[in-house]
Every structure is written in structure tokens, then in C-alpha cells.
Amino acid sequence: MATVIPRMISDDILLTLISPLYIQERWNEFTRGEKVLQTGEPLSSSTLSKVRNILKQIFGFGVINEILEASPMKYLNLKVPKERLEMTYEKKRFKFLEGEEIDWMLEVLYEITTRENSRVEFYFDSAVFLLHTGLRIGELGALTVDDVDFENNCIYVRKNLISQGLKKEEFQTGGTKTLSSNRTVVLNPICMEIIKRRIEKNQERQEYVNIMMLDKDSSYWYPLKGFIFTDYLFQNHMGTPITPNLFTGFFNNKTSRKGGSIDDMIRERYPKFTKHITSHVFRYTHISMLAERGWQLKEIMDRVGHKDSKTTLEIYQQVTKDMRKNQEEDLKKITFGSKFLED
């Protein structure tokens, strides 16, 4: 938002010139012409909504602090263009992986994380854990050993990692997104195995760093100079917990490896693959898998910590719609009595 909002209202525009009419005109131009810098695509409806909401907060702050007599946003109803809402809906429709797409992604991811070096292996564990739990990436990053109940095979989700704009030494945990996000998530044997492996790897790494610290003049110590000791479960080779930036960067960076982004590498091997992988893809995929297995809407919402049923329901409806298509095809294959009706 710090880079998007100044593209609508310039930093050097005088406050006294920011009238309702000015904002409306800029909004009209902004929604028509502004594009995502990285992709060149039109700004999404969610981005436009965030811009609108933050502008309301900024001008509201001005009123509270008696810098403005009234907020120019008070008189406006800035609308997100209908076609942008439809674009967002279409994108969301295909935002989870299905069937063989999951196998393709994991196959490529496993090869990358085992071929490159041990520094990136935790990305595979993170991806599998997200697929099986539907956690938000911030919830995954905040997990520590204290959040694991080994006796009952579950984790207690009660915090979120705060990392945006902070140095890694300053990372902290705060409350979850909503009250309904505080929940107990039951784990299957695969997830429990991943947790045990993460604990073991983290302990081995910290013991190695402690040994290297005894001789800081050693050439082996220098690469570990920025290491931080943390108790996060899903941490990289420098002790830094998984963050949205780390996760997205690993999957979407086109220059850090020969084959391009993870998406590119999957498509190179499996041309039918058309999805774009983000951290939320794993969350939505988990929801779709539960819907396929007959979980009720409320049960799914409780597991993934959704307060509002909108997102869960959209995925649920898409999955069940596809299931109905398959059921219709199966019904066509049942032909009892057809020979008596041929005449």
C-alpha cells in the first residue's frame, strides 16, 4: 500500500487541495489505468478496496487530530468497477490445486529442495504441512514447540507472526486475525512426522552454530554470522521463521534458479498446469479437499479459522458443483431398463 497509494494521491499534493471532487476524479483515473507493476495486470478488486479503506483511515486520522474539519471521503461512495470484481472472482475460482496438480507440484518441489541444498528443505515441509492443515502463512511462521500437543496429536493456533517491515531480529508474534482464528487443529501422522523432523533439524543446526561460535575466526563461522537463535518450528538455515515474503519469494522468484519460478518448472514438465502458487493456494486446497470428503461448511470454517463463511462457501460451492458434474456422468452410465424403452 505504501507504493500503491502515492500513485493515486501524490505525496506532494497540498492537503487543502484534496477535495471530494479531486479524490473522485483521481479514483476514476486510478481504477481505469493503474496496473500491477510486476505483472502489468489491472489492480485487483481487493487492492482497490484496501486503497479506499486506508484513505478513509488517513483522512479520519486528520479529523481526529484536528488537522481537517471534515474528511473528504465522507461525501464519497468510491466503487470498485464491476469487471474488476468479476476478475477477482474468476481468479479465486481457480485458486486451489486439484488431483494430479498437487502431485505435480510436490514432485517438482521435492526435487528442488533436495537437489539444491539443505537450506531450502524446510520449504517442502512447510508446503506439505499447509496442505494438510489449511493454516495461514503467518500462523505457520508463529508456531513453536509449545504450541504442539504430542499426546493428542494437535496444535494450538493462538498467534500470528509479525514480520512486515521488521528486521529478522525484531520479528514478534501477535494475536490471530480474528477471535475465531484461535483454534485447535488436529494433525494426521504426516504432520506429526514433519514437526518431529523440524525440531530435530533445528536442534542440530543450533548445536552446530554453537560449536562454530567457539572459533569465530574460522571460515566456517562467517556464513553463520547473522544466525539468530529462535524456537520457531518452521525456520530456515539462519533461524528466521517462515514469512509471507520468504515463502512467496521462494515459489515465485524467476531468477534465483535455472528453471525459473516453481510455476515455470511445473509447466515445463506438465504443460497442463496453469495455476499460480501462493501461500493461500495451500489453504484453499485444504478447504477443497475437506469439501470433497463431505465435511460440513461449519466444520471446515472451524478448522481453518474462518469467521465469515464467504470464502469458505465460494470454494465449497465450486467443489460441490464439480462433484455434481461427475455424479451426472456416473448416473448416465446406469442404464437399467433402457432396452425396454428403445422402441
Side-chain angles (χ1 to χ4, degrees):
M1 288 299 102
T3 62
V4 174
I5 289 179
R7 287 154 58 189
M8 178 177 164
I9 299 180
S10 174
D11 288 341
D12 58 3
I13 190 79
L14 290 174
L15 192 59
T16 53
L17 297 180
I18 303 178
S19 64
L21 180 59
Y22 173 81
I23 292 177
Q24 185 66 66
E25 290 177 344
R26 287 297 302 127
W27 179 259
N28 294 342
E29 295 173 6
F30 187 74
T31 54
R32 282 197 304 263
E34 282 298 326
K35 305 287 178 63
V36 179
L37 296 178
Q38 293 87 343
T39 64
E41 296 179 356
L43 295 176
S44 68
S45 62
S46 59
T47 298
L48 293 176
S49 296
K50 286 177 185 175
V51 170
R52 181 179 58 194
N53 293 337
I54 290 177
L55 286 176
K56 287 180 180 178
Q57 293 176 37
I58 290 172
F59 290 114
F61 181 83
V63 173
I64 291 171
N65 288 276
E66 300 181 348
I67 297 167
L68 297 172
E69 290 185 9
S71 166
M73 298 290 289
K74 179 180 178 181
Y75 311 101
L76 298 172
N77 181 20
L78 302 180
K79 294 183 178 180
V80 176
K82 183 180 178 181
E83 70 273 8
R84 212 62 61 83
L85 292 169
E86 291 172 350
M87 280 175 49
T88 300
Y89 177 72
E90 285 301 310
K91 280 188 175 181
K92 186 173 285 188
R93 281 188 65 233
F94 301 100
K95 215 170 183 180
F96 57 82
L97 303 180
E98 303 173 80
E100 58 188 3
E101 293 174 333
I102 300 173
D103 295 330
W104 296 344
M105 183 273 295
L106 290 178
E107 177 187 305
V108 171
L109 184 60
Y110 181 76
E111 288 185 15
I112 292 171
T113 53
T114 52
R115 181 186 67 209
E116 291 188 0
N117 51 57
S118 59
R119 294 183 175 188
V120 297
E121 65 182 0
F122 87 115
Y123 286 107
F124 180 83
D125 286 352
S126 300
V128 174
F129 198 85
L130 290 174
L131 278 175
H132 284 273
T133 60
L135 263 62
R136 299 177 178 93
I137 190 68
E139 294 170 344
L140 180 74
L143 286 179
T144 62
V145 178
D146 292 338
D147 299 316
V148 184
D149 185 335
F150 291 95
E151 185 175 341
N152 295 304
N153 294 331
C154 63
I155 51 173
Y156 303 110
V157 180
R158 49 200 173 190
K159 54 188 186 290
N160 189 67
L161 185 71
I162 302 172
S163 60
Q164 190 67 36
L166 300 176
K167 297 178 181 178
K168 61 181 182 180
E169 306 86 37
E170 300 171 339
F171 287 0
Q172 52 191 279
T173 56
T176 51
K177 188 175 180 180
T178 63
L179 286 176
S180 57
S181 297
N182 291 327
R183 60 200 189 278
T184 300
V185 178
V186 177
L187 303 180
N188 62 14
I190 293 175
C191 289
M192 294 305 300
E193 184 60 34
I194 287 175
I195 285 177
K196 292 172 184 176
R197 183 162 71 174
R198 285 295 97 213
I199 292 173
E200 182 180 347
K201 293 285 185 181
N202 295 340
Q203 289 176 342
E204 288 177 357
R205 190 184 307 111
Q206 291 183 4
E207 289 172 3
Y208 176 76
V209 173
N210 277 322
I211 293 173
M212 290 300 101
M213 287 179 67
L214 297 175
D215 183 10
K216 291 188 178 181
D217 293 329
S218 168
S219 59
Y220 293 104
W221 161 248
Y222 185 76
L224 300 169
K225 194 173 182 180
F227 187 88
I228 55 173
F229 288 86
T230 66
D231 57 354
Y232 296 111
L233 279 175
F234 291 86
Q235 58 177 261
N236 66 10
H237 67 291
M238 296 301 287
T240 306
I242 189 74
T243 66
N245 287 343
L246 278 176
F247 195 84
T248 302
F250 178 78
F251 274 87
N252 298 328
N253 193 314
K254 292 180 177 291
T255 59
S256 63
R257 62 180 65 86
K258 187 177 179 181
S261 68
I262 304 293
D263 294 351
D264 294 334
M265 297 179 74
I266 299 173
R267 274 189 285 274
E268 177 68 25
R269 186 175 301 182
Y270 300 104
K272 291 183 180 179
F273 188 83
T274 59
K275 305 294 173 64
H276 174 60
I277 299 175
T278 66
S279 60
H280 260 62
V281 163
F282 297 90
R283 181 168 169 81
Y284 294 153
T285 300
H286 184 69
I287 293 172
S288 72
M289 290 191 294
L290 297 183
E292 285 179 354
R293 282 158 178 76
W295 283 48
Q296 297 301 306
L297 185 64
K298 183 64 169 62
E299 294 174 320
I300 299 175
M301 289 176 62
D302 289 343
R303 181 166 174 82
V304 300
H306 268 163
K307 177 183 178 181
D308 187 345
S309 64
K310 181 181 177 184
T311 300
T312 315
L313 185 59
E314 286 177 353
I315 298 172
Y316 192 88
Q317 288 175 332
Q318 184 181 340
V319 171
T320 52
K321 182 179 179 181
D322 293 338
M323 289 171 64
R324 283 196 298 273
K325 287 180 181 178
N326 293 333
Q327 289 169 354
E328 288 172 7
E329 292 302 314
D330 287 340
L331 288 171
K332 290 177 183 177
K333 298 174 184 176
I334 302 174
T335 59
F336 300 126
S338 61
K339 65 178 181 179
F340 302 108
L341 302 173
E342 289 176 356
D343 293 340

